Amino acid sequence: PAGDTVMKVSAGYLPGLPASEVRWQSLSFGTGADRVEVAVPQLTPAQLRALAAHVREQGRSQLKPLPVSQIIAVIDRAIARLLDANDPCRQQLDALLPRISGFDAEMVRLGLNAYLKTFRAPQLQRFVAEDFANPKLLDEFQPRTKGGMARAFGPELLVHVWAGNVPGLPLWSLVCGLLVKAPAIGKVASAEPLFASLFARLLAEVEPRLAGVLAIVSFKGGDTPSERALFAEADTVLAYGGNDTLTALRQQVPVSTRFLPHGHKLSVGLVSAAALDVGHAQSTARAAALDVVRYEQQGCYSPHTYYVARGGRVTPREFAQQLAGELAALQHKFARRALTLEEAASVAGWRQGQELKGFAGAGVELLGDAGASWCVAYAEQASAFLPGALNRTVQVQAVDRLADTLPLLAAQREVLQT
């Protein structure tokens, strides 16, 4: 209608299912002129089983006979299109992902460019070579150095369950599944249902023979009948999410089905004295600030704390001040997304906790006005690594040597990623 500012799009990709038989639910994102309504499919358990049968058969007949080199070429063509600013698929991502995720549009654009470049053909060939000394094992039987012949087989049906914290996250597991010739069904998160759907459609456009080897579905987490129906069809389930979510999912996966959970992770930054000479300290602080700002620390790679070594021309406290200056500059380039009440309370509680440490004589100094969209807490004495409040809150702690951080990281060893 005239004057209606709501953009309406559909997510999901359902090869082999008649569209007229599918029920749809609308998810709303954004407000005002940025509002988007995304229609997602709501399949019955019977429809999920029929979809699984179709994808499995298409994978057997269309995907598994293809040489890995051809699969890499197909993925590379799809990625090339997503890297083309003039391509309609990329333009749709640029227009919709900021509205859906709430992240700054320029942050999303630059983040996607860097991310997508890791999936070009040379990188994909490297992915395969890292796990298979002889990639031809995925195509045919090959001689083993110790005698006999061997061949590697991917899953007959791989099910992905994705989180929605970072735009584009599904691409990792989708691409890796294709590289081992695994037909797949992916369940998108309600927080970001678009990217995987668009990629599946694009892949079908680039190579019609693969139009039926991927499907993208949606249902609410904890929908036990849907989870059980889908997981019962898979021989491998790969899931991302919080530890509570993964524990609940595991209970729905048949005992004979392989379950690969990817749960809560934390990352930390280590800054050496060598990176703190006069020529490098500012660029190091700028890179550190970008890592804090990128996707508001929602990713597994996002740093919560920087441990900074003494002994450089720039002291750890001076580095913290430089980091604060870079964060202040970036808030004008990449606006922080609007926080929920829960997120705002978490940030306020984190600031208050850091202030109390300072009052208690723990040597903690807050850099950044209370009204700023970022905050740096500097400590002259390092302490055990703990998660922060996200959304541009970061600690900088001084250490004599980077090796001194090892005991400080030990408490988080189960969730430490990078």
Side-chain angles (χ1 to χ4, degrees), residues 222-238:
D223 179 350
T224 303
S226 295
E227 289 173 348
R228 285 182 176 171
L230 183 57
F231 297 162
E233 298 294 326
D235 52 348
T236 302
V237 174
L238 191 156

Side-chain angles (χ1 to χ4, degrees), residues 187-200:
K187 175 196 171 294
V188 293
S190 59
E192 201 288 89
L194 183 70
F195 188 98
S197 306
L198 188 146
F199 181 77

Side-chain angles (χ1 to χ4, degrees), residues 7-75:
M7 184 179 291
K8 297 184 178 182
V9 296
S10 64
Y13 179 68
L14 311 170
L17 283 187
S20 60
E21 298 178 8
V22 176
R23 184 170 62 88
W24 298 82
Q25 177 189 0
S26 182
L27 303 177
S28 183
F29 301 90
T31 58
D34 289 333
R35 191 166 157 227
V36 180
E37 288 188 2
V38 182
V40 294
Q42 301 292 289
L43 303 184
T44 65
Q47 287 174 319
L48 287 169
R49 286 190 286 269
L51 183 66
H54 179 81
V55 170
R56 188 187 300 109
E57 176 52 39
Q58 286 292 300
R60 191 176 294 128
S61 63
Q62 301 298 327
L63 179 61
K64 293 190 182 295
L66 284 180
V68 171
S69 58
Q70 287 188 29
I71 297 172
I72 287 175
V74 170
I75 297 170

Side-chain angles (χ1 to χ4, degrees), residues 234-406:
D235 52 348
T236 302
V237 174
L238 191 156
Y240 295 85
N243 293 345
D244 291 343
T245 298
L246 295 175
T247 299
L249 283 175
R250 187 189 296 272
Q251 295 173 355
Q252 309 305 329
V253 176
V255 68
S256 59
T257 300
R258 192 177 187 196
F259 183 59
L260 303 175
H262 295 269
H264 177 65
K265 295 291 182 182
L266 296 174
S267 290
V268 63
L270 305 179
V271 183
S272 70
L276 294 178
D277 61 28
V278 175
H280 295 98
Q282 197 67 46
S283 59
T284 301
R286 187 173 301 116
L290 281 169
D291 280 347
V292 171
V293 167
R294 187 175 290 115
Y295 298 135
E296 313 299 354
Q297 296 170 287
Q298 301 292 320
C300 295
Y301 286 96
S302 301
H304 293 243
T305 296
Y306 285 108
Y307 289 109
V308 183
R310 297 183 179 94
R313 294 288 297 274
V314 173
T315 68
R317 185 176 184 275
E318 289 170 336
F319 175 80
Q321 292 171 326
Q322 291 179 340
L323 176 62
E326 294 293 340
L327 287 171
L330 287 173
Q331 74 179 345
H332 301 293
K333 185 175 182 180
F334 303 119
R336 187 178 69 179
R337 69 174 179 175
L339 303 185
T340 65
L341 289 175
E342 183 180 8
E343 288 172 332
S346 177
V347 169
W350 182 88
R351 283 188 64 103
Q352 185 179 38
Q354 299 300 320
E355 289 174 340
L356 290 174
K357 288 180 182 178
F359 295 148
V364 175
E365 177 184 358
L366 279 187
L367 307 177
D369 184 78
S373 64
W374 55 272
C375 183
V376 176
Y378 174 70
E380 193 66 36
Q381 298 299 321
S383 58
F385 177 45
L386 293 172
L390 311 181
N391 297 299
R392 310 192 191 188
T393 59
V394 64
Q395 295 180 322
V396 175
Q397 302 189 1
V399 293
D400 289 330
R401 300 174 306 129
L402 290 187
D404 296 340
T405 63
L406 295 179

Side-chain angles (χ1 to χ4, degrees), residues 55-225:
V55 170
R56 188 187 300 109
E57 176 52 39
Q58 286 292 300
R60 191 176 294 128
S61 63
Q62 301 298 327
L63 179 61
K64 293 190 182 295
L66 284 180
V68 171
S69 58
Q70 287 188 29
I71 297 172
I72 287 175
V74 170
I75 297 170
D76 184 65
R77 293 203 302 272
I79 296 298
R81 289 205 30 196
L82 291 181
L83 281 166
D84 181 359
N86 296 315
D87 188 274
C89 291
R90 177 54 191 263
Q91 290 175 342
Q92 191 174 17
L93 287 178
D94 286 342
L96 293 174
L97 283 182
R99 300 184 184 196
I100 291 172
S101 67
F103 294 125
D104 179 84
E106 184 68 359
M107 181 196 298
V108 171
R109 186 184 72 82
L110 294 175
L112 273 183
N113 283 344
Y115 179 61
L116 291 167
K117 287 175 183 176
T118 64
F119 296 97
R120 298 308 305 267
Q123 285 71 31
L124 299 179
Q125 290 161 352
R126 193 172 296 117
F127 287 178
V128 175
E130 284 179 357
D131 286 325
F132 300 94
N134 179 1
K136 292 292 288 181
L137 282 167
L138 289 161
D139 296 335
E140 58 193 14
F141 281 97
Q142 294 288 296
R144 299 177 60 198
T145 55
K146 295 182 179 180
M149 304 287 281
R151 184 175 177 183
F153 292 90
E156 290 294 305
L157 182 64
L158 171 62
V159 166
H160 310 262
V161 180
W162 293 305
N165 54 323
V166 175
L169 175 66
L171 195 57
W172 272 114
S173 62
L174 264 181
V175 165
C176 291
L178 289 170
L179 291 177
V180 296
K181 307 185 183 185
I185 297 179
K187 175 196 171 294
V188 293
S190 59
E192 201 288 89
L194 183 70
F195 188 98
S197 306
L198 188 146
F199 181 77
R201 297 170 191 167
L202 177 59
L203 194 76
E205 188 177 324
V206 168
E207 177 48 81
R209 285 180 295 176
L210 300 185
V213 306
L214 293 180
I216 307 298
V217 302
S218 173
F219 50 80
K220 189 175 181 179
D223 179 350
T224 303

